[in-house]
Structures are given as C-alpha cells and as structure tokens.
Amino acid sequence: MLAAMGTEPRLRIMRLLLSAHPEGMIVGDIGSELEIASSTLSHHLEKLKNEQLVKVRREGTFLWYTANTEALEELLKFLYAECCTRNRAVKPERIVTLCK
C-alpha cells in the first residue's frame, strides 16, 4: 500500500481524490486537472485500485474514481499503533497536534 503511494503522481492523484470525496472524479477530469497523459494515468489508477486505495464505479460510459477512505483509515490505524502505542517512537500528542 505504501509503495503504491510512493510516487509523486500517485500522491497527487490521492490528494485530488480526497479533495473530491465523497463524489469522486471521472478519469478525464483527473487527467486534465493533474496534466497526466491518459495512458500514464490509467497505469497509476490501476496500481492504486489494485492496492485498494481507490474505488471505481461505472456510470454509463464514465468511470468514477473515489479515494477508499476505509483503507486509508486502516493504514493510519496501523501506523499509529506501530509508531505511537507499541513502540513509542512518536508521542501520541504529536500526532494529535499535527492533525489539528
């Protein structure tokens, strides 16, 4: 999951889809907004979908992509548990402060 988000274009896609949550965006609008070629965008969206970071739904001839917030929540829970509770590598108060 982290590897899937480990490229700059995929991070940009995730940020954009999170800003469009919960409605999501159609592929053409994602490409236009981020200025990513269709073939490249398709590759990145497929990788994010395979890692369950995005969801896709078909409405007529349009493919709508949305951020899978449930998967992101699970990732955040895992990171919080590993960094802040089990290992105490990061103080929990720092995380809460960063999120405000």
Side-chain angles (χ1 to χ4, degrees):
M1 195 178 284
L2 292 174
M5 289 192 301
T7 67
E8 190 265 338
R10 291 185 203 134
L11 280 174
R12 291 175 55 217
I13 292 167
M14 290 303 298
R15 283 187 192 117
L16 183 62
L17 291 177
L18 285 166
S19 72
H21 189 74
E23 294 84 17
M25 296 180 73
I26 60 172
V27 175
D29 290 347
I30 297 168
S32 295
E33 179 77 25
L34 299 178
E35 298 180 344
I36 298 175
S38 296
S39 59
T40 303
L41 179 61
S42 176
H43 165 76
H44 288 307
L45 289 170
E46 187 66 22
K47 181 71 172 173
L48 293 169
K49 185 178 90 174
N50 288 342
E51 293 297 324
Q52 300 178 359
L53 290 166
V54 299
K55 296 178 182 179
V56 60
R57 72 181 186 278
R58 179 176 293 279
E59 288 185 12
T61 59
F62 297 103
L63 290 177
W64 285 81
Y65 282 84
T66 56
N68 183 352
T69 54
E70 294 88 6
L72 292 171
E73 186 176 318
E74 288 301 314
L75 176 61
L76 289 171
K77 285 179 187 177
F78 166 78
L79 292 172
Y80 183 81
E82 289 299 315
C83 294
C84 302
T85 57
R86 185 175 308 165
N87 296 323
R88 298 273 183 202
V90 176
K91 294 181 180 182
E93 304 82 38
R94 293 275 303 141
I95 300 299
V96 174
T97 302
L98 292 174
C99 293
K100 288 184 180 181

